[in-house]
Amino acid sequence: MSLHPTLQPYADAWTHSIEAISEMVQSLVEGEWNRRTPCPGWSVRDIVSHVIGLDCEMLGDPRPIHALPRDLFHVATEHQRYMEMQVDVRRHHTAPEMTAELEYTVIRRNRQLRNESRDPGTTVRGPLSTQITLEQAYRARAFDVWVHEQDLRTALGRPGNLDSPGAYVTRDVLLAALPKVVAKDADAPRSSAIVFDVHGPVEFLRTVRVDIQGRGTVETAPALGPAATLTLDWETYVRLACGRVTPQAVADRVKTEGDQDLAAAILHNFTVTP
């Protein structure tokens, strides 16, 4: 195995999730492909199309030349337009076409992973012609595929894998976004601390401290007298952070203590996926 040790956990997480997705969709009938998912505007087919499309881009395939319809209500930004291209071009594909392309893409990506010898710091193409490191690209794929695996599980009524390897990659990605959510977006007071107590299949207790300059950092040490504490389960945390539900829709699953206005501002700005 030539894969760099830094990349291996992301490759393992991607493999675990993509195999789960493949297994889930293999036996779907045509109507189930059109089932709505928690991902705004996307059906089961759309999510699988997105997964196929981004893995094809990891393989270096050219992006499709395709004109998007003007009536896609969920497409408002350039990032969303970029992501929608791989989805819309497959909207009329049949179930056998979808499963065949997914299977072929997974075979090609597995071969790529087996032969990957590049350094994690190697610069590669990211979305919208950005330049990112290979490590960032692998992490993003592991995160993205696990989140979409959960979208499919919700849509198809097949819960599971909330504590799989991809879940822990997702935890770290979402925790890295917390300082901006708290310190900048929610404008938490300077020299304050906000505690997040998450329970369930993935458990963690984290404190976001905001310093005198207004910069936020994540710490594992609990805070004495925090400005606010948010207690919620792991699945709700993910669904909020990924924009799958509104704070109002899961109000009964989130317990807040301390400054209620600050807690509400944090929840209002909790979505960190584009």
Side-chain angles (χ1 to χ4, degrees), residues 7-209:
L7 303 177
Q8 193 66 57
Y10 302 130
D12 293 343
W14 174 87
T15 300
H16 193 279
S17 291
I18 206 77
E19 287 177 354
I21 289 173
S22 296
E23 187 179 337
M24 260 192 291
V25 303
Q26 200 65 47
S27 59
L28 296 184
V29 299
E30 200 65 52
E32 289 176 302
W33 285 88
N34 298 322
R35 196 171 286 183
R36 187 176 173 183
T37 74
C39 188
W42 281 2
S43 65
V44 169
R45 176 185 280 98
D46 295 340
I47 281 185
V48 177
S49 296
H50 167 74
V51 169
I52 291 169
L54 288 198
D55 274 315
C56 284
E57 291 185 26
M58 287 288 285
L59 286 159
D61 293 357
R63 280 174 53 78
I65 298 171
H66 177 72
L68 285 179
R70 295 181 178 274
D71 59 351
L72 298 174
F73 71 93
H74 59 282
V75 178
T77 67
E78 274 306 301
H79 186 273
Q80 289 167 340
R81 287 184 63 80
Y82 182 95
M83 293 301 174
E84 197 70 23
M85 199 74 77
Q86 296 277 15
V87 171
D88 195 67
V89 78
R90 294 175 173 85
R91 279 222 160 91
H92 300 294
H93 286 196
T94 64
E97 287 173 328
M98 292 299 299
T99 53
E101 188 181 12
L102 176 62
E103 189 176 329
Y104 180 54
T105 304
V106 172
I107 289 170
R108 293 175 65 211
R109 280 282 283 132
N110 278 326
R111 186 184 303 128
Q112 183 187 43
L113 292 176
R114 284 196 305 272
N115 297 325
E116 182 64 83
S117 58
R118 291 174 292 178
D119 184 83
T122 304
T123 301
V124 297
R125 185 187 70 183
L128 292 168
S129 300
T130 55
Q131 296 294 305
I132 59 176
T133 66
L134 190 63
E135 182 178 354
Q136 288 172 322
Y138 270 58
R139 183 191 300 122
R141 289 308 299 129
F143 166 71
D144 187 67
V145 174
W146 183 83
V147 170
H148 288 311
E149 178 198 338
Q150 293 303 315
D151 286 333
L152 294 174
R153 289 186 176 282
T154 300
L156 299 169
R158 301 187 195 176
N161 282 354
L162 280 167
D163 60 349
S164 67
Y168 289 93
V169 174
T170 298
R171 176 200 62 185
D172 294 344
V173 169
L174 296 180
L175 282 174
L178 264 188
K180 178 178 179 294
V181 168
V182 172
K184 184 179 177 184
D185 300 336
D187 197 23
R190 298 183 178 202
S191 302
S192 67
I194 295 84
V195 171
F196 294 84
D197 187 356
V198 177
H199 55 89
V202 174
E203 292 190 346
F204 54 89
L205 182 73
R206 294 291 188 276
T207 301
V208 177
R209 293 191 184 276

